[in-house]
Amino acid sequence: MTTAAALMTTDEVSPRERVAFWADWIHRLFGGLESDLYGDTTFDGRMVSAHAGDVVLTRLEANRHRVMRSRSLVRRSDTGYVKIVAPLQGRAGVEQHGRRAWVGPGQWSLYDTTDTYAVDNPVRVEHLIVMVPKASLVERGLPLPQLCARPLGDGGVARLALETMRHAYRELPTMGSDAARGVGELITHCVHLSLLDLAGRGTAATQREALRERIKRHVAQRLGDPRLSVDAIARALNVSRRQLYNAFADEPDGVAGYVLAQRLDACRADLADPRQAHRAITDIALDRGFTSLAHFSRVFRAATGMSPSDYRRLHGGG
């Protein structure tokens, strides 16, 4: 492959022929794509492509438009790519595998050209589009279906990958084929690292969310047990204290604070329930896991600004 640039522009044809010209060029350049212009009857666009080994980089400037690959077009496609959209101006909506990621300048997203997809460009756009051979990423064990149509680029290695792609496109015209091939390999490596990071963050976040839900279910089931504590929860769920704290890292008061808040909420509901007006406040507190009336009254007043008895009178439970 050479680094020679290929230019396509609608300036070469008359205005009335530009819509058909653009649709045909998109279909041929990107291996079979359907194009939609949101009903517009006029159009202008420009694409300049260059090769970095097996990686293809294209700068696209165009009016609003939408491209999509149907199941029939997928079957007709010979070469599989992972295609990256990195807006310089405007925004793009990448849709695949039931997800849609909207990205703007400073971000990027990708999709698998061997499956159905759609990319919306609802305003005039200027994009950098990078096509990386799918085989070069799949052979590294990446779970691509989980990583497509997700936003990247806000920081870390994904930001480094974006800057590498941008600089590569600008400098490719000055490079020989060997240097360009090395740059293509560098881009592939940076994309690979970005997707590894995205996969790891997604897995860790999913695991934390799952553990947090397990903890909340366990607390709800054993709220009345005075022995319910951080250590007791960790033992019951067979996890470490650190895992518990990590699962509740986004909760302002941690696991212990969550347990206390749930107990107080339950007591408030009991005190405001006319059907429980006959029950002593001490019984309500003990039934919700508090070990003494004095402790319950202290934390209840700190949370509500009033005593349990005043709260009951004010809210109709007494």
Side-chain angles (χ1 to χ4, degrees):
M1 290 287 185
T2 69
T3 62
L7 169 66
M8 189 285 287
T9 174
T10 55
D11 294 342
E12 298 175 351
V13 297
S14 65
R16 67 175 179 274
E17 296 175 334
R18 288 178 180 177
V19 170
F21 176 80
W22 176 265
D24 178 67
W25 188 274
I26 286 286
H27 183 85
R28 289 188 286 113
L29 182 64
F30 293 118
L33 279 182
E34 296 175 350
S35 182
D36 175 70
L37 304 183
Y38 296 97
D40 294 345
T41 56
T42 59
F43 187 82
D44 70 90
R46 187 173 189 267
M47 289 188 291
V48 184
S49 297
H51 291 269
D54 294 328
V55 176
V56 185
L57 297 94
T58 301
R59 189 182 183 106
L60 162 73
E61 300 175 54
N63 285 0
R64 63 176 188 165
H65 66 283
R66 185 172 191 257
V67 294
M68 60 224 93
R69 172 160 284 167
S70 64
R71 186 65 62 186
S72 61
L73 291 175
V74 166
R75 287 195 295 269
R76 281 184 245 152
S77 179
D78 295 325
T79 305
Y81 285 95
V82 169
K83 192 180 291 186
I84 293 163
V85 178
L88 300 168
Q89 293 184 28
R91 60 194 181 109
V94 177
E95 183 177 355
Q96 192 169 57
H97 300 305
R99 294 185 300 273
R100 176 175 290 182
W102 284 100
V103 290
Q107 298 176 302
W108 54 281
S109 188
L110 56 84
Y111 50 97
D112 178 359
T113 65
T114 65
D115 206 341
T116 58
Y117 65 85
V119 180
D120 286 284
N121 302 286
V123 297
R124 183 172 180 83
V125 296
E126 185 176 343
H127 292 336
L128 178 61
I129 300 172
V130 181
M131 298 170 63
V132 179
K134 179 181 175 180
S136 64
L137 294 173
V138 172
E139 66 187 10
R140 305 182 189 207
L142 285 171
L144 273 181
Q146 302 172 27
L147 305 175
C148 293
R150 295 191 183 280
L152 296 102
D154 289 328
V157 67
R159 168 65 69 176
L160 178 62
L162 177 61
E163 294 302 323
T164 300
M165 291 184 281
R166 287 177 172 176
H167 287 303
Y169 179 80
R170 287 196 293 267
E171 300 300 328
L172 272 174
T174 68
M175 296 182 191
S177 59
D178 289 342
R181 187 178 301 107
V183 168
E185 293 170 357
L186 176 61
I187 290 172
T188 302
H189 183 60
C190 288
V191 171
H192 175 237
L193 292 178
S194 300
L195 297 183
L196 278 179
D197 183 58
L198 178 61
R201 284 188 281 116
T203 300
T206 300
Q207 290 175 344
R208 287 196 302 271
E209 291 170 3
L211 178 56
R212 184 162 60 243
E213 291 307 309
R214 286 179 62 203
I215 294 168
K216 290 183 176 182
R217 287 196 300 269
H218 183 79
V219 169
Q221 293 167 359
R222 292 166 176 79
L223 195 60
D225 185 351
R227 296 167 296 180
L228 185 67
S229 65
V230 171
D231 287 332
I233 295 170
R235 286 194 300 271
L237 300 183
N238 195 29
V239 296
S240 67
R241 288 173 61 96
R242 180 180 293 276
Q243 287 174 296
L244 288 187
Y245 293 140
N246 286 341
F248 271 72
D250 296 332
E251 302 275 350
D253 299 315
V255 182
Y258 176 78
V259 172
L260 178 60
Q262 293 301 298
R263 282 175 168 159
L264 287 172
D265 285 346
C267 288
R268 278 199 290 265
D270 292 342
L271 292 171
D273 187 355
R275 294 169 299 178
Q276 301 195 49
H278 64 284
R279 297 184 64 200
I281 292 176
T282 301
D283 291 340
I284 289 175
L286 296 178
D287 193 46
R288 294 302 186 178
F290 288 97
T291 56
S292 72
L293 179 61
H295 176 243
F296 167 64
S297 297
R298 184 169 62 254
V299 297
F300 190 93
R301 184 182 291 274
T304 65
M306 64 183 70
S307 68
S309 56
D310 288 342
Y311 185 92
R312 172 178 261 181
R313 282 194 295 271
L314 181 63
H315 290 83

